[in-house]
């Protein structure tokens, strides 16, 4: 059966696989002590990895050594227990085993014929995901590469409800993710068709804002089409008043989308379910298992509760697909891709291996730790907390006496730079209400109370170091 060198013998397969697993176990054990980041300019990194096109084989030992010596030292570890920047990507061992199995078996998950039992598994996993967040299990969906493509799928589905989208308007909160603008542009909406809605002091879109804007646009001959609300903004973790916005969308005849890429899985917990109430009424929802469901990157998901709407947006049939049953679910009809990996597998593997109760407990623990981070930051005289939404705490450096806003903002930038250089902890910068701010995100099963305390202490130390500079 072996076809060297692309497929080695069974003994060699075992040997290579075990060696990789041993290597990964060693990396996992070293994660805590490894730097969160150790960034260099891309030309330095390019020099680190430079090699001639390989005409001849390299041993696995040599390749793993290359990774260890020339890639890992400069790696940014979004799965590190003290990576609190952007949106962490904790990943998980079970999730990565699912990705390995998907890659090794390599089913063609684009069609019912090629995907076959894996297509059935994707449908099942979509149902599990819907059930997990309290969305109707009858919703149609697809696993995507991430939240950006899921948002695109949702908007494409909404656009396909119109014969003429040229007067349509797409509403996005001014705190909404930029992937929504990208999606609208890719789908051919003009910039004047994408309206950013102002948020209130709590970073939420108010129902009255949507109503006013819809009426204004209608009076101008426009067709309000789509509202993207947030179940956890990237910036502040803010959840919009989803139930009230669902009411508005119903009355105004607007497609109600909830971008829950970051926060959606918080609905597994009691407090998360309470704050995300109304999400179940959305026409479409974006979720990112590769964020708060601990799967490796490459696992996003869109669920749509309007039967056939993804197909209306994406269905296309080449002659060469003649043998594929059109009466079955074909995932190539639900998204822009034809060939696609079995993206459900990491999600299914993880959910099945650890069970939803453990995931709920973990998300609850992340929420508790975010509360702890907020409390500790509030106790620090150098910081003022702006907001906490789900597991994202936003805060600012307190201005020093006579310090200008520019000076304060510059110190925040220097703080992030110092943290990047130090490698012990990382937070990221943003802008809130036109003023610079910092974000501290907790989303990792490897993060415990000790890490949160250590991270806040490291922030205190770094900011005091700036004072001395
Ligand atoms: C709220 C929200 N929407 C969409 C996205 C885009 O998701 P992805 O990076 O998986 O494409 C993100 C990513 O952080 C997000 O936080």
């Amino acid at each position: 059966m072996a076809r060297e060198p692309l497929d080695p013998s069974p003994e060699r397969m075992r040997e290579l696989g075990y060696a990789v697993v041993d290597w990964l176990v060693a990396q996992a054990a070293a994660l805590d002590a490894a730097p969160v980041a150790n960034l260099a300019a891309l030309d330095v990194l390019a020099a680190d990895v430079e090699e001639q096109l390989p005409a001849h084989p390299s041993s696995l030992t040599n390749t793993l050594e290359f990774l260890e010596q020339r890639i890992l030292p400069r790696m940014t570890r979004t799965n590190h227990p003290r990576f609190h920047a952007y949106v962490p990507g904790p990943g998980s061992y079970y999730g990565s085993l699912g990705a390995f199995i998907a890659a090794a078996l390599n089913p063609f998950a684009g069609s019912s014929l090629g995907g076959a039992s894996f297509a059935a598994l994707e449908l099942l996993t979509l149902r599990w995901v819907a059930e997990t967040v309290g969305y109707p299990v009858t919703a149609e969906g697809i696993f995507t590469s991430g939240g950006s493509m899921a948002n695109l799928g949702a908007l494409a589905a909404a656009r396909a409800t119109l014969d003429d989208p040229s007067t349509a308007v797409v509403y996005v909160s001014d705190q909404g993710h930029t992937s929504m603008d990208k999606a609208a542009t890719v789908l051919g909406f003009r910039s004047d068709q994408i309206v950013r809605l102002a948020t209130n002091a709590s970073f939420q879109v108010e129902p009255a804002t949507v109503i006013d804007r819809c009426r204004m646009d209608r009076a101008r001959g426009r067709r309000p089409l789509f509202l993207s609300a947030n179940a956890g903004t990237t910036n502040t973790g803010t959840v919009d008043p989803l139930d009230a916005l669902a009411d508005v969308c119903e009355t105004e005849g607007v497609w109600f989308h909830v971008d829950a890429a970051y926060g959606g899985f918080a609905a597994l917990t009691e407090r998360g379910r309470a704050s995300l109430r109304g999400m179940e009424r959305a026409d479409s929802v974006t979720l990112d298992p590769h964020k708060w469901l601990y799967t490796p990157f490459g696992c996003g998901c869109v669920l749509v509760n309007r039967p056939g709407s993804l197909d209306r947006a994406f269905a296309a049939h080449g002659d060469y697909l003649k043998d594929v049953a059109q009466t079955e679910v074909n995932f190539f009809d639900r998204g822009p891709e034809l060939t696609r990996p079995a993206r459900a597998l990491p999600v299914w593997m993880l959910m099945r291996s650890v069970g939803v109760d453990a995931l709920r407990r973990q998300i609850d623990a992340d929420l508790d730790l975010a509360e702890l981070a907020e409390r500790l930051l509030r106790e620090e005289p150098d910081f003022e907390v702006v907001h906490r939404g789900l597991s994202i705490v936003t805060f600012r450096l307190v201005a020093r006496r006579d310090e200008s806003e520019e000076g304060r903002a510059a110190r925040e930038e220097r703080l992030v730079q110092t943290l990047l250089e130090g490698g012990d902890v990382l937070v990221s910068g943003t802008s809130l209400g036109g003023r610079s701010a910092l974000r501290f995100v907790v989303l990792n099963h490897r993060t415990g109370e000790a890490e949160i305390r250590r991270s806040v202490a490291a922030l205190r130390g770094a900011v005091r170091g700036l004072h001395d500079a």
Side-chain angles (χ1 to χ4, degrees), residues 86-87 145-149 151 176-180 230-235 259-263 286 288 290-291 299-300:
Y86 306 99
V87 179
S145 57
S148 302
M149 290 306 291
N151 279 337
H177 195 266
T178 50
S179 57
M180 221 56 253
N230 289 291
T233 61
T234 317
N235 234 2
D259 182 350
Y262 152 66
T286 283
D288 251 351
H290 68 198
K291 293 186 168 70
C299 294

Side-chain angles (χ1 to χ4, degrees), residues 162-193:
L162 301 180
D163 291 331
D164 172 15
S166 66
T167 60
V169 189
V170 174
Y171 303 107
V172 186
S173 146
D174 67 13
Q175 295 295 305
H177 195 266
T178 50
S179 57
M180 221 56 253
D181 303 81
K182 272 198 203 181
T185 306
V186 168
L187 291 168
F189 291 98
R190 302 179 308 274
S191 57
D192 66 284
Q193 291 180 279

Side-chain angles (χ1 to χ4, degrees), residues 25 83 124 131 154 176 182 185 210 222 225 237 251 301 316 325 338 387 392 406 409:
V25 171
F83 182 96
L124 171 78
E131 199 175 330
K182 272 198 203 181
T185 306
V210 182
R222 298 280 180 97
L225 171 66
T251 313
C301 169
L338 175 57
H387 186 265
I392 302 180
E406 292 75 45

Side-chain angles (χ1 to χ4, degrees), residues 192-233:
D192 66 284
Q193 291 180 279
I194 308 160
V195 171
R196 284 277 181 172
L197 300 176
T199 48
N200 63 19
S202 307
F203 311 107
Q204 292 178 311
V205 170
E206 291 194 357
T209 307
V210 182
I211 295 169
D212 290 350
R213 187 67 211 209
C214 282
R215 300 206 172 147
M216 190 181 112
D217 283 327
R218 268 209 191 87
R220 294 163 58 207
R222 298 280 180 97
R223 161 75 169 88
L225 171 66
F226 181 93
L227 170 69
S228 179
N230 289 291
T233 61

Side-chain angles (χ1 to χ4, degrees), residues 407-426:
R408 196 195 62 76
R411 263 192 315 129
E412 285 187 349
E413 264 179 47
R414 274 169 46 218
L415 175 65
V416 172
Q417 211 49 46
T418 305
L419 296 177
L420 271 169
E421 284 158 18
D424 192 46
V425 53
L426 196 63

